[in-house]
Amino acid sequence: MRPTDEYRVPTDEEWTELLGHFERRKVSIGACGRSFSTPCIHEHACVRCPMLWPDPAQRDRLVEIRDNLHVRIAEAEREGRLGEVEGLRVSLADTEDKLTQLNRRRDHRTAVDLGIPTPKPASTAPRPGHDGPP
């Protein structure tokens, strides 16, 4: 049902652009899931972006960011920079959300022992409509 020209072999430039898209989506604390050829609306404040897929290996870095945000909020409050406090609180909430995402993913990766299946013994009782064993 799709137009035939969409099934053509891509040029080298098109392949390079597509593969580069995925390379440019890697950030220090994970990977950006935004669509191909779309701009970053968060101006690379990735911790605020709902499209950031945090990397479990970067948990310690996210904890460090969270702790630093607490210190920066306290400093901004002491200095009376209320606009900065508001922005930092948004970043803090989103950082905590990313940590929650990592916890949820970690908690759902527990192995479940299903045991070893054992076949049921064959029944010797005749099946309905039959005279002998199955």
Side-chain angles (χ1 to χ4, degrees):
M1 301 300 287
R2 296 181 68 103
T4 306
D5 63 330
E6 289 187 15
Y7 291 100
R8 67 179 172 67
V9 176
T11 65
D12 289 342
E13 293 81 23
E14 289 170 328
W15 268 118
T16 300
E17 181 183 351
L18 178 67
L19 295 175
H21 160 80
F22 295 105
E23 286 300 313
R24 288 187 301 273
R25 296 307 174 260
K26 293 178 184 174
V27 295
S28 65
I29 53 176
C32 178
R34 64 188 156 101
S35 300
F36 179 65
S37 292
T38 58
C40 178
I41 62 170
H42 293 97
E43 298 179 9
H44 303 284
C46 299
V47 77
R48 290 185 174 195
C49 183
M51 297 306 295
L52 173 69
W53 184 254
D55 179 357
Q58 297 302 317
R59 173 184 301 283
D60 291 343
R61 183 142 193 235
L62 280 168
V63 168
E64 184 180 323
I65 290 169
R66 180 199 58 200
D67 295 346
N68 180 268
L69 285 165
H70 282 292
V71 170
R72 291 176 59 199
I73 289 169
E75 176 187 334
E77 287 173 336
R78 267 192 324 272
E79 300 293 326
R81 298 186 308 255
L82 300 182
E84 187 174 348
V85 170
E86 185 178 333
L88 291 169
R89 283 188 177 147
V90 170
S91 293
L92 177 60
D94 289 328
T95 301
E96 289 176 344
D97 181 56
K98 298 300 183 256
L99 287 166
T100 299
Q101 287 177 33
L102 288 176
N103 291 340
R104 215 176 17 245
R105 286 176 22 210
R106 180 187 60 201
D107 294 345
H108 284 96
R109 290 185 180 200
T110 56
V112 176
D113 182 9
L114 299 177
I116 298 174
T118 55
K120 292 182 180 179
S123 172
T124 56
R127 292 183 305 186
H130 297 297
D131 294 336

